[in-house]
């Protein structure tokens, strides 16, 4: 199973730490072009020392540069986990023999439809949401989003729902503990996002943690991160394309603009309901109910099973 594959390779704590440090450093290096671009195009924020404003995407070029840094992080994680821990990509992303593209597409489709339905309701009921469609800006945004968002969301999913989920399973030995730990870390990673300053920590942070819980739950129950990765891709892509506003990390050329954005507990409730619907649809389609016990211990499989997971020895 997915979390049992955490026993594959070299799993000393200092190797996990080494890989994470190297990934963090290279991801920061990959973010230098975006940082330079953000400072050149937002001199007022530089003079005011407003780091939240500097981390905000304001055009499609800035979005492309920001997303490229995640591509660097994803590549670094895959390479360093292989070099230092002898772990293949599929060892920490899925319980199946190979990555299931159909599951990824299914997760993308289902969550994309749910996000679109919520957005339609918002557009029809909120007078502050106005049409913002400019074809010359929207279609380049669409192209950049389709090409580069898979790297950004893929990096976060591979890191949190894959690599760190397995590391947490080795540390705590219970799936539920690994789920909680990685969901909290996922939320804290977004603490520097502009939404935290715009809406407040205790308003915005629960939504990040909740998303982590939903995606982590699906990854554990479905024995792999493919559905969660598709869901995450749909969430970020549709968020950048459909509705934007000031104070959001993706202040893009979306179809609509919210002139007076507000976030409250009702938004968290809507996300929770959408998450339940997503889980139920995925469970009905793939039948993962009961396949993995969330409350059970993560135990080391038999050596013969581990051997079947591993690569053949090089001559």
């Amino acid at each position: 199973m997915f979390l049992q594959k955490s026993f594959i390779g070299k799993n000393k704590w200092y190797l996990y730490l080494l890989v994470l440090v190297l990934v963090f450093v290279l991801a920061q290096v990959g973010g230098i072009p975006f940082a330079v671009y953000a400072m050149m195009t937002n001199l007022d924020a530089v003079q005011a020392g407003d780091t939240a404003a500097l981390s905000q995407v304001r055009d499609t070029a800035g979005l492309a540069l920001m997303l490229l840094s995640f591509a660097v992080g994803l590549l670094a994680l895959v390479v360093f986990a292989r070099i230092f821990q002898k772990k293949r990509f599929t060892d920490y992303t899925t319980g199946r023999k190979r990555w299931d593209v159909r599951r990824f597409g299914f997760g993308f489709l289902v969550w994309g439809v749910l996000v679109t339905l919520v957005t339609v309701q918002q557009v029809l009921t909120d007078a502050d949401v106005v049409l913002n469609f400019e074809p010359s800006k929207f279609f380049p945004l669409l192209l950049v989003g389709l090409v580069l968002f898979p790297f950004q969301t893929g990096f976060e999913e591979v890191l949190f729902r894959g690599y760190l989920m397995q590391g947490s399973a080795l540390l705590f030995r219970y799936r539920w503990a690994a789920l909680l730990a990685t969901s909290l870390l996922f939320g804290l990673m977004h603490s520097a996002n502009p939404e935290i300053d715009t809406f407040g920590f205790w308003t915005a942070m629960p939504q990040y943690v909740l998303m982590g819980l939903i995606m982590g739950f699906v990854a554990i129950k479905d024995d792999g991160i493919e559905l969660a990765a598709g869901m995450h891709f749909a969430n970020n892509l549709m968020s950048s394309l459909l509705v934007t506003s000031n104070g959001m990390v993706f202040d893009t050329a979306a179809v609509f603009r919210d002139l007076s954005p507000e976030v409250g507990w009702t938004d968290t409730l809507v996300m929770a309901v959408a998450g339940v619907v997503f889980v139920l649809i995925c469970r009905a389609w793939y039948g993962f109910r009961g396949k993995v016990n969330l409350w059970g211990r993560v135990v080391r499989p038999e050596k013969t099973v581990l051997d079947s997971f591993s690569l053949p020895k090089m001559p």
Side-chain angles (χ1 to χ4, degrees), residues 1-310:
M1 291 184 179
F2 165 52
L3 288 184
Q4 284 183 300
K5 291 174 78 173
S6 59
F7 291 95
I8 294 175
K10 300 180 179 180
N11 294 300
K12 299 293 185 180
W13 66 268
Y14 54 81
L15 293 177
Y16 271 96
L17 180 61
L18 174 62
V19 170
L20 290 173
V21 168
L22 290 173
V23 169
F24 175 79
V25 170
L26 285 189
Q28 298 308 304
V29 172
I32 290 176
F34 171 70
V36 172
Y37 182 82
M39 289 187 289
M40 291 177 59
T41 56
N42 197 359
L43 296 177
D44 291 339
V46 174
Q47 294 174 353
D50 189 350
T51 56
L54 289 174
S55 65
Q56 186 177 11
V57 172
R58 298 182 181 277
D59 54 36
T60 302
L63 177 64
L65 290 173
M66 187 191 76
L67 296 181
L68 280 174
S69 67
F70 290 93
V72 174
L74 178 59
L75 178 62
L77 177 57
V78 172
V79 170
F80 290 134
R82 188 74 180 96
I83 291 174
F84 294 108
Q85 297 182 277
K86 310 304 178 186
K87 291 178 180 287
R88 298 174 300 173
F89 179 75
T90 51
D91 288 339
Y92 48 88
T93 58
T94 182
R96 289 162 277 276
K97 292 183 178 180
R98 58 182 59 88
W99 180 268
D100 192 336
V101 178
R102 292 186 178 181
R103 272 178 159 84
F104 176 85
F106 187 83
F108 175 86
L109 178 63
V110 173
W111 192 254
V113 170
L114 292 173
V115 171
T116 301
L117 291 175
V118 172
T119 301
V120 169
Q121 183 274 334
Q122 180 186 6
V123 171
L124 293 177
T125 60
D126 192 341
D128 291 323
V129 178
V130 298
L131 187 66
N132 186 57
F133 183 66
E134 297 182 50
S136 62
K137 294 182 179 180
F138 176 80
F139 289 108
L141 169 66
L142 175 62
L143 178 62
V144 167
L146 289 172
V147 173
L148 294 179
F149 264 123
F151 292 102
Q152 182 256 328
T153 56
F155 172 62
E156 293 185 4
E157 287 308 301
V158 172
L159 177 62
F160 287 96
R161 253 63 65 184
Y163 187 75
L164 288 177
M165 180 84 81
Q166 286 195 348
S168 299
L170 287 174
L171 178 62
F172 300 113
R173 293 304 175 99
Y174 283 95
R175 296 182 181 89
W176 65 266
L179 172 62
L180 288 178
T182 52
S183 299
L184 290 173
L185 287 173
F186 180 73
L188 291 174
M189 187 198 71
H190 291 85
S191 60
N193 280 20
E195 289 91 342
I196 299 297
D197 288 337
T198 303
F199 305 114
F201 182 90
W202 295 109
T203 300
M205 184 55 63
Q207 294 196 14
Y208 291 119
V209 175
L210 177 59
M211 279 294 292
L213 288 170
I214 296 169
M215 293 184 291
F217 178 82
V218 169
I220 291 174
K221 295 295 288 184
D222 192 46
D223 203 25
I225 73 169
E226 295 97 329
L227 286 171
M231 173 188 179
H232 199 164
F233 176 34
N235 186 79
N236 287 20
L237 178 66
M238 302 304 283
S239 296
S240 68
L241 294 178
L242 296 180
V243 180
T244 189
S245 66
N246 294 329
M248 304 289 285
V249 66
F250 299 135
D251 188 356
T252 60
V255 177
F256 298 96
R257 174 170 288 275
D258 190 344
L259 301 178
S260 182
E262 295 182 358
V263 173
W265 68 269
T266 53
D267 299 280
T268 306
L269 179 60
V270 169
M271 180 182 291
V273 172
V276 171
V277 173
F278 179 80
V279 169
L280 292 177
I281 293 174
C282 291
R283 187 182 71 174
W285 190 262
Y286 284 105
F288 56 73
R289 178 183 180 184
K291 201 158 54 173
V292 180
N293 180 12
L294 179 66
W295 307 106
R297 282 177 58 87
V298 179
V299 296
R300 185 180 183 88
E302 296 294 331
K303 186 177 186 299
T304 54
V305 177
L306 279 180
D307 290 341
S308 70
F309 286 145
S310 303

